[in-house]
């Protein structure tokens, strides 16, 4: 959230939340400080999933022609504001908003894979070692042309809309024959998925990063 507000390139910020959490989220957003218009978009309880959340936000907001939209997963809470500027710059430098019917375009941050990857069979028997040089980890925030992204979400299946992870929206774009532009993501732009990740994030906020990291919640 703070990365979006502090980037200098994002206008209105919409936070998609289920009805029961709206008061809490409004208080948390207010605590972020006066950094531009922020509003809560209510998500129907039965429509829980990354694609559903983005779709309801795009449906409720009319974007001016040629204006990109930045989608950010809050689980990537340490993502720096500079990363927002990088994905928007990559998208807009590729050209103006494509005409209707043109291939989709998106800009996503990626990180190299540093762990060893193994090919395994259905019974988890190791078959070989994958060349990790050909793999990347998808991060957040991501930049899209809103009309294109909404079209992909309107055509998505329930399974696709309920899926979670930073690769969901890029997968929809790629599956429709679109093009994904990539920008380097810094090491702190990782998904907080486990208790161990939270411990690491706390350590990064307090050791050698100072106040700048504290603004990335």
């Amino acid at each position: 959230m703070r990365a979006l507000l502090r980037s200098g390139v994002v206008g209105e910020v919409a936070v998609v939340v289920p009805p029961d959490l709206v008061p809490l989220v409004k208080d948390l957003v207010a605590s972020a400080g006066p950094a531009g218009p922020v509003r809560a978009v209510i998500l129907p309880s039965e429509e829980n999933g990354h694609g559903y959340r983005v779709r309801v936000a795009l449906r409720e907001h009319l974007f001016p022609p040629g204006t990109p939209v930045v989608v950010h997963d809050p689980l990537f809470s340490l993502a720096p504001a500079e990363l927002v500027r990088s994905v928007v710059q990559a998208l807009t430098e590729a050209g103006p908003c494509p005409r209707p019917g043109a291939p989709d375009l998106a800009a996503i941050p990626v990180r190299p894979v540093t762990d060893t990857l193994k090919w395994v069979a259905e019974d988890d028997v190791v078959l070989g070692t994958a060349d990790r040089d050909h793999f990347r980890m998808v991060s957040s925030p991501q930049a899209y042309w809103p009309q294109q992204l909404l079209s992909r979400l309107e055509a998505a299946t329930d399974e696709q809309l309920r899926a979670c992870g930073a690769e969901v929206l890029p997968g929809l774009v790629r599956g429709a024959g679109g093009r994904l532009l990539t920008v380097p993501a810094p090491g702190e732009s990782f998904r907080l998925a486990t208790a161990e990740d939270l411990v690491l994030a706390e350590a990064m906020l307090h050791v050698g990063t100072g106040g700048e990291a504290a603004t990335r919640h």
Side-chain angles (χ1 to χ4, degrees), residues 56-182:
V56 72
L58 292 176
R59 282 177 173 178
E60 291 201 11
H61 187 81
L62 296 178
F63 291 86
T67 300
V69 61
V70 177
V71 178
H72 186 42
D73 184 340
L75 291 181
F76 290 85
S77 58
L78 298 184
E82 181 58 38
L83 194 53
V84 182
R85 291 187 282 268
S86 295
V87 293
V88 171
Q89 181 178 356
L91 183 67
T92 55
E93 285 186 350
C97 180
R99 296 178 180 274
D104 290 8
L105 193 64
I108 62 174
V110 297
R111 297 170 52 210
V113 175
T114 56
D115 294 333
T116 300
L117 301 178
K118 294 291 186 181
W119 297 110
V120 297
E122 293 183 358
D123 55 359
D124 289 335
V125 173
V126 175
L127 301 178
T129 302
D131 184 357
R132 63 188 179 194
D133 289 342
H134 295 286
F135 291 86
R136 295 292 184 271
M137 299 177 64
V138 180
S139 183
S140 181
Q142 303 168 357
Y144 299 87
W145 295 113
Q147 294 79 10
Q148 289 185 335
L149 180 56
L150 181 57
S151 295
R152 297 285 72 79
L153 291 169
E154 296 289 10
T157 65
D158 180 73
E159 182 180 4
Q160 291 172 320
L161 293 172
R162 292 186 184 278
C164 296
E167 72 283 356
V168 173
L169 301 184
L172 293 178
V173 171
R174 187 66 177 156
R179 179 187 174 199
L180 297 175
L181 308 170
T182 62

Side-chain angles (χ1 to χ4, degrees), residues 191-206:
R191 189 172 186 267
L192 302 182
T194 66
E196 290 78 9
D197 293 337
L198 290 175
V199 173
L200 177 59
E202 288 292 335
M204 294 176 68
L205 288 172
H206 292 97

